[in-house]
Amino acid sequence: MKIKSLLKLLRFKRIRSRFLTAMILLSLPSLFLLGYISFNITKETLLDLNAKSNRGQLTTSSEVADLLFRNINNLHLSIVVNEEIRAALRTSDEMLEKTVQTGSLSERTSSRLQRIISSRFTDTRFVTSICLIDLRFQTYCLGRSDDAGIYEGKEKAERIAASDWYRSAYESKGKVVFYDSDIFGTSGQSFSTVKLFRDADDPAGKAMGLIVINVSNTIFHKIFNESTNYGSYMALDPSPGSVRVVFSNADSIALGEGDISEVLERLAGQGYLITTYRNQTADWTFVHLVQTKQLFKQSRSIGWATTVLAVLIGATALVLSYFISGTITRPLMQLKKMMMDWTKGTRSFPEHFTQDEVGILGETFKRMAIEHEELNRRLIDSQLKEREAELRALQSQIKPHFLYNTLDSIYWMALLQNNTQIAEVAISLSESFKLSLNKGKDTIPVFKELEHIDHFLKIQNIRFNNRFHYVRTVEEPLMGMQMLKLLLQPLVENAIYHGLEPKLGEGTIYLTGYSEGDYVVFQVEDDGVGMEEIGMADQGYGLRNVRDRLVLFYGEDSTLEIQSRINVGTRITLRFKSPRQT
């Protein structure tokens, strides 16, 4: 009821009011909806483009990191393969027994490390220090003091052996291990890389010590190239059970506890758009973070701009609709006046109308009025012609009686002259003529249609010396059914003239009739010469006339099908719905 009441309120009497209301209801909601959709599409597009851009940036950063980390790995390898350093580690136990020589060993080791760095083309600008730790946990360093930092003390060996980086280095079996911070704990702005030093001359690869290369965190400024993007970067070490920060230029972001998936999910919940990439060399996760509200500043501007534009377009649409509706209503009022004048007898119309829909209506009404006058004239003429046809029909009723009497006279004259064939032809022709006329009715019982065929065949057999045989198989219930007259006789006639007459010798016509569900089926088949082109049969007047009359009387679902084979014969099948028997 509420909807009907609302529609009633909106159903104004004037077309102009309806037009203005329609413009308001169609333009403004659609424009605001367009703005809302545009805002969301812009937001989603911005998120998608930003994610793709950040992904590409992190991929590039990882490739740069691989290059820089590969330099660190090469530096490890250079130290491992240096024969002098290997020899020094082999004899370190013997030299450590003489206190006086400890300093000289450290100095020689530092000198050798310095020569390795100087002789290599490896990029070592981010390397802060290099240390060797032998099996007795003595340290020899370049770039820092020869001590173990936080591990110095009475239990130095036990504490180093129990550290996670020490175990990881041994478990990695010679692979460089990247640790998230300085393992000696002396610098908060660097991280350590550790490699197990094995004796290459020993078949079992006996461990000789550890190589520790400390790298400055400034390497990440080159890796992430922070000046080319916005947001924050992190390098995280996703250790089991906790996440450790290797590098971050967003100190205000707290990660909290949990594994890396939990940390990233928590940051996403805080309104950050997060992009990650796993660096395979260091086994670290590079992360880019940016707050979504920072990204949506531009899309919000688009939203406000769309809203303002929608209001302006809506106001413009209302003003334009007021003037446009006037261009519609004024010609309609003129058209209404012209129609009213026409009903009062005025037959004068404008020579031309405007070239729009209203003008088309005017032209249509003008043409309709002219056609109406023409139809009135034709109606009067047809009524006169109908009266004339009735008179001719009354006169034509005399002609069949004259033909019957003439055929009857021929019949008796033939009998008087003992010419039975002419008598049979006359009587068959007379009966055929009566059945064809059928007192003016369009339908005829099936048994009378079959009688018509019998009379026709009798005439043809007299003419062709009994060349044609006729086999009829029609279901008994169909015999009294009313059917359209002259449906079957033309088919039999077609079978004789086009199938059996050209054939040498005798021929047979088979007529079959039966019910098939709601349909009645009649088939006329001959064993004549057949047809090569079935389509040519439809061009003949007889079959085309039967097909047209069949469809007009029984409907579009009735059919006439032709099947034929050369020197085998032709079959024509009629199918139509069974009428109610009368």
Side-chain angles (χ1 to χ4, degrees):
M1 295 298 294
K2 292 182 179 180
I3 297 177
K4 290 183 178 180
S5 302
L6 180 61
L7 292 176
K8 188 174 181 180
L9 291 174
L10 295 176
R11 192 178 294 123
F12 301 102
K13 293 183 179 180
R14 299 185 61 187
I15 293 179
R16 173 170 287 184
S17 300
R18 295 180 186 178
F19 192 82
L20 291 176
T21 305
M23 289 295 294
I24 294 173
L25 295 178
L26 291 177
S27 61
L28 293 183
S30 60
L31 287 173
F32 282 112
L33 180 62
L34 177 63
Y36 176 77
I37 294 173
S38 299
F39 173 77
N40 283 279
I41 291 176
T42 303
K43 181 175 71 174
E44 294 299 327
T45 304
L46 192 60
L47 288 174
D48 184 59
L49 291 177
N50 188 265
K52 290 180 180 178
S53 175
N54 293 339
R55 181 74 176 178
Q57 181 68 23
L58 287 181
T59 302
T60 303
S61 298
S62 181
E63 292 172 354
V64 173
D66 287 337
L67 181 62
L68 296 175
F69 292 162
R70 193 176 299 118
N71 289 334
I72 304 300
N73 291 343
N74 291 337
L75 184 56
H76 275 279
L77 184 61
S78 300
I79 297 172
V80 168
V81 299
N82 187 273
E83 183 61 33
E84 294 179 353
I85 293 179
R86 287 207 307 270
L89 288 176
R90 289 192 193 99
T91 59
S92 62
D93 290 341
E94 299 175 1
M95 297 177 67
L96 283 172
E97 293 176 356
K98 301 177 181 180
T99 306
V100 71
Q101 294 182 352
T102 301
S104 61
L105 175 62
S106 175
E107 292 175 1
R108 288 196 299 273
T109 302
S110 299
S111 177
R112 289 165 183 154
L113 291 175
Q114 183 63 51
R115 285 200 302 274
I116 291 174
I117 293 175
S118 301
S119 63
R120 298 289 296 178
F121 296 101
T122 306
D123 185 2
T124 59
R125 52 183 164 162
F126 299 108
V127 176
T128 60
S129 63
I130 304 175
C131 293
L132 295 178
I133 303 176
D134 62 15
L135 296 180
R136 295 191 177 188
F137 302 102
Q138 296 298 320
T139 57
Y140 312 98
C141 297
L142 173 66
R144 65 182 303 276
S145 60
D146 293 337
D147 61 75
I150 61 174
Y151 297 101
E152 285 295 336
K154 295 180 179 180
E155 299 179 352
K156 172 182 176 181
E158 290 77 5
R159 292 171 61 195
I160 292 177
S163 63
D164 53 353
W165 59 266
Y166 185 86
R167 292 195 303 270
S168 297
Y170 266 85
E171 291 172 359
S172 298
K173 298 179 180 180
K175 180 181 177 183
V176 178
V177 177
F178 285 76
Y179 198 70
D180 60 276
S181 61
D182 182 0
I183 62 172
F184 298 122
T186 57
S187 174
Q189 299 299 319
S190 63
F191 62 91
S192 299
T193 61
V194 185
K195 179 180 175 62
L196 181 65
F197 201 129
R198 293 179 178 274
D199 189 354
D201 296 331
D202 186 68
K206 178 183 177 181
M208 300 175 64
L210 295 174
I211 307 172
V212 180
I213 298 178
N214 291 322
V215 183
S216 173
N217 281 349
T218 57
I219 194 173
F220 289 105
H221 297 300
K222 183 173 181 62
I223 290 174
F224 292 126
N225 194 14
E226 300 166 41
S227 62
T228 62
N229 209 331
Y230 55 92
S232 303
Y233 289 96
M234 288 184 177
L236 303 180
D237 183 4
S239 302
S242 64
V243 176
R244 291 181 289 194
V245 179
V246 182
F247 169 81
S248 174
N249 61 0
D251 298 332
S252 60
I253 301 177
L255 299 183
E257 300 295 329
D259 57 22
I260 190 166
S261 60
E262 295 174 347
V263 169
L264 295 179
E265 184 177 355
R266 189 161 50 248
L267 290 175
Q270 295 174 6
Y272 287 96
L273 177 63
I274 301 172
T275 309
T276 62
Y277 192 88
R278 189 68 173 261
N279 179 265
Q280 301 298 325
T281 302
D283 199 23
W284 290 338
T285 299
F286 292 166
V287 182
H288 179 272
L289 303 95
V290 62
Q291 287 190 331
T292 53
K293 62 181 181 180
Q294 182 181 356
L295 290 175
F296 294 158
K297 286 182 180 179
Q298 187 177 4
S299 62
R300 288 193 184 93
S301 300
I302 294 174
W304 281 111
T306 304
T307 302
V308 174
L309 182 62
V311 173
L312 292 177
I313 292 176
T316 305
L318 291 178
V319 174
L320 291 177
S321 64
Y322 178 81
F323 292 103
I324 293 173
S325 62
T327 62
I328 297 175
T329 55
R330 282 192 296 271
L332 286 175
M333 295 301 295
Q334 294 174 358
L335 182 60
K336 175 185 176 183
K337 182 178 181 300
M338 183 182 67
M339 291 181 177
M340 296 299 295
D341 292 342
W342 183 80
T343 59
K344 296 176 182 179
T346 303
R347 296 296 184 264
S348 60
F349 301 103
E351 292 184 3
H352 301 287
F353 292 89
T354 56
Q355 300 297 318
D356 54 15
E357 288 78 1
V358 179
I360 293 173
L361 286 176
E363 290 289 348
T364 303
F365 178 77
K366 178 180 177 181
R367 185 168 59 253
M368 182 184 68
I370 296 173
E371 291 177 354
H372 183 269
E373 295 293 332
E374 179 67 19
L375 288 175
N376 281 337
R377 186 183 63 78
R378 291 181 182 179
L379 179 60
I380 295 172
D381 292 343
S382 65
Q383 289 176 346
L384 293 175
K385 291 180 180 179
E386 184 178 355
R387 185 61 59 85
E388 293 176 0
E390 289 177 356
L391 292 175
R392 286 196 299 269
L394 291 174
Q395 294 174 355
S396 65
Q397 290 180 359
I398 302 173
K399 296 179 181 179
H401 294 286
F402 171 75
L403 184 58
Y404 296 154
N405 292 333
T406 301
L407 291 173
D408 189 61
S409 298
I410 294 173
Y411 171 73
W412 288 109
M413 289 174 64
L415 288 179
L416 290 174
Q417 295 180 9
N418 293 324
N419 196 333
T420 57
Q421 287 188 340
I422 293 178
E424 289 179 0
V425 169
I427 194 65
S428 295
L429 184 60
S430 176
E431 292 298 326
S432 294
F433 190 58
K434 288 179 182 179
L435 292 171
S436 298
L437 295 177
N438 194 33
K439 298 180 181 180
K441 296 180 181 179
D442 291 330
T443 60
I444 189 173
V446 173
F447 73 89
K448 286 192 175 182
E449 180 75 6
L450 298 179
E451 287 182 7
H452 191 184
I453 295 173
D454 291 339
H455 292 305
F456 173 75
L457 285 173
K458 182 179 291 186
I459 294 171
Q460 296 302 320
N461 271 323
I462 291 174
R463 179 186 173 191
F464 289 100
N465 195 23
N466 294 320
R467 282 180 54 195
F468 310 129
H469 301 285
Y470 175 51
V471 178
R472 185 177 73 193
T473 307
V474 180
E475 293 179 353
E476 188 63 28
L478 298 180
M479 299 299 286
M481 183 189 72
Q482 291 285 334
M483 67 176 294
L484 184 64
K485 66 181 180 181
L486 294 176
L487 278 185
L488 301 179
Q489 187 274 335
L491 303 183
V492 174
E493 182 177 350
N494 186 80
I496 288 177
Y497 285 113
H498 298 289
L500 299 182
E501 183 179 345
K503 178 183 177 181
L504 297 178
E506 299 181 352
T508 304
I509 296 176
Y510 302 90
L511 193 151
T512 307
Y514 57 91
S515 296
E516 190 177 78
D518 294 336
Y519 288 84
V520 176
V521 180
F522 285 101
Q523 290 182 343
V524 176
E525 184 176 358
D526 64 73
D527 57 359
V529 296
M531 291 182 290
E532 185 173 358
E533 294 291 338
I534 296 179
M536 298 294 294
D538 287 335
Q539 299 180 5
Y541 174 77
L543 289 182
R544 187 172 68 250
N545 179 272
V546 171
R547 187 191 298 274
D548 293 343
R549 290 170 58 238
L550 181 71
V551 172
L552 287 173
F553 191 81
Y554 289 105
E556 294 292 337
D557 57 347
S558 57
T559 59
L560 186 151
E561 298 177 357
I562 304 174
Q563 297 173 302
S564 183
R565 293 175 60 188
I566 297 296
N567 298 325
V568 176
T570 302
R571 176 191 298 166
I572 301 177
T573 303
L574 295 180
R575 186 186 304 272
F576 54 87
K577 279 195 174 181
S578 173
R580 184 177 299 174
Q581 293 188 6
T582 57

